[in-house]
Amino acid sequence: MKRSFKPDEIDHHVLKLTVGVIALMLPILTAFLSAHSIQSISASYWEGGWARDFFVGFLFAISSFLFAYNGFSLAEMLFSKVAAFAALGVALFPCGCGTHLEVVPYVHYISAATMFIVLACLCAIFFQRARAKGHREAKWRSYLYAICGVTIVMVILVMAFDYFGGDPISSKMPRLTFYGELAALMAFGISWLVVSGVLPVITAPKERVYIFPISSSLKPTGTLGIRVNRTDGTIENYGDI
């Protein structure tokens, strides 16, 4: 079996996979490492220690990867950059949680809302791209993108209703914000794991991407996403992930 090493300076599939894993782990680790039962993931900042380190560090990592990701369209590139700056805003401007006051009023909450809105928009882009391919695995992915996008939008609507409506839900469920953020981050993480192209079953064999850039004559090489036309130098999109 002949194998060849096929390195890329930056592999966008690995970026997507890494972002997805970090998004999934962020709420779990911050809650686990906090000394108290936190009412929002952002409250882990005020817990100090490892909880704050993971909260800030993971958000910086997500921001860096999103800033490096350009996608396959101008809209996708711009959305990624906006989400990257919004993630920095969440990390750098702590929330007014419990007895703690915001360092700069409203910046944290506007940044968080912006980040989740943009992530929902990216789910819509992934959905449309998968639907355009039409084959079975792509349809399965489109369903997952739709579920993830709708979940994020529903979380935003519920949180907004509670905030502007005088806390009718959080007064009965003190950890509403935490559970909402948990659901939104899980949806974010799952959508980016799916779009990474490394998951079996929902990725067709010809689309499957392998983390290590080694190809085999007996396996698909995983060259998915974009290719450069050597004639005129244009970039062609030939995959949905």
Side-chain angles (χ1 to χ4, degrees):
M1 182 182 299
K2 184 179 179 181
R3 294 180 180 271
S4 60
F5 185 61
K6 302 184 64 180
D8 289 317
E9 185 176 358
I10 297 178
D11 189 337
H12 69 93
H13 299 101
V14 176
L15 285 180
K16 295 169 182 174
L17 177 66
T18 305
V19 168
V21 171
I22 292 175
L24 291 174
M25 295 303 297
L26 176 58
I28 298 172
L29 285 177
T30 51
F32 178 75
L33 295 170
S34 296
H36 308 90
S37 177
I38 53 177
Q39 295 190 358
S40 74
I41 295 171
S42 298
S44 62
Y45 179 93
W46 299 111
E47 291 289 309
W50 282 23
R52 178 168 61 187
D53 292 344
F54 273 101
F55 174 73
V56 175
F58 274 12
L59 283 172
F60 264 78
I62 289 174
S63 176
S64 299
F65 289 132
L66 287 175
F67 195 80
Y69 178 68
N70 291 324
F72 302 135
S73 66
L74 178 61
E76 199 171 351
M77 180 187 72
L78 292 176
F79 279 141
S80 297
K81 302 302 181 279
V82 171
F85 283 111
L88 281 182
V90 175
L92 294 175
F93 298 92
C95 67
C97 303
T99 59
H100 301 281
L101 300 177
E102 291 181 87
V103 176
V104 181
Y106 305 115
V107 173
H108 179 88
Y109 300 106
I110 292 174
S111 297
T114 300
M115 183 180 72
F116 283 123
I117 290 171
V118 171
L119 293 177
C121 292
L122 287 172
C123 283
I125 292 176
F126 299 157
F127 169 81
Q128 293 172 346
R129 191 176 297 152
R131 292 287 291 179
K133 293 205 71 173
H135 62 75
R136 182 185 59 182
E137 290 85 359
K139 288 181 179 179
W140 290 347
R141 293 197 298 272
S142 71
Y143 299 148
L144 289 173
Y145 297 141
I147 292 171
C148 291
V150 169
T151 298
I152 295 174
V153 171
M154 290 300 297
V155 167
I156 294 171
L157 293 176
V158 170
M159 299 293 290
F161 172 78
D162 186 71
Y163 178 80
F164 293 108
D167 305 327
I169 305 176
S170 58
S171 60
K172 299 179 177 62
M173 185 187 297
R175 301 191 74 195
L176 171 68
T177 301
F178 175 82
Y179 293 127
E181 292 170 339
L182 172 65
L185 284 171
M186 288 294 171
F188 167 35
I190 291 171
S191 66
W192 280 69
L193 284 181
V194 172
V195 83
S196 70
V198 303
L199 300 181
V201 181
I202 58 173
T203 308
K206 66 179 180 179
E207 301 173 313
R208 183 79 182 278
V209 176
Y210 297 89
I211 299 302
F212 298 102
I214 297 177
S215 64
S216 167
S217 58
L218 299 181
K219 288 184 178 182
T221 60
T223 53
L224 174 67
I226 59 174
R227 62 187 170 198
V228 178
N229 187 318
R230 296 183 182 276
T231 303
D232 56 13
T234 58
I235 295 177
E236 301 173 347
N237 178 10
Y238 64 102
D240 67 288
I241 56 179

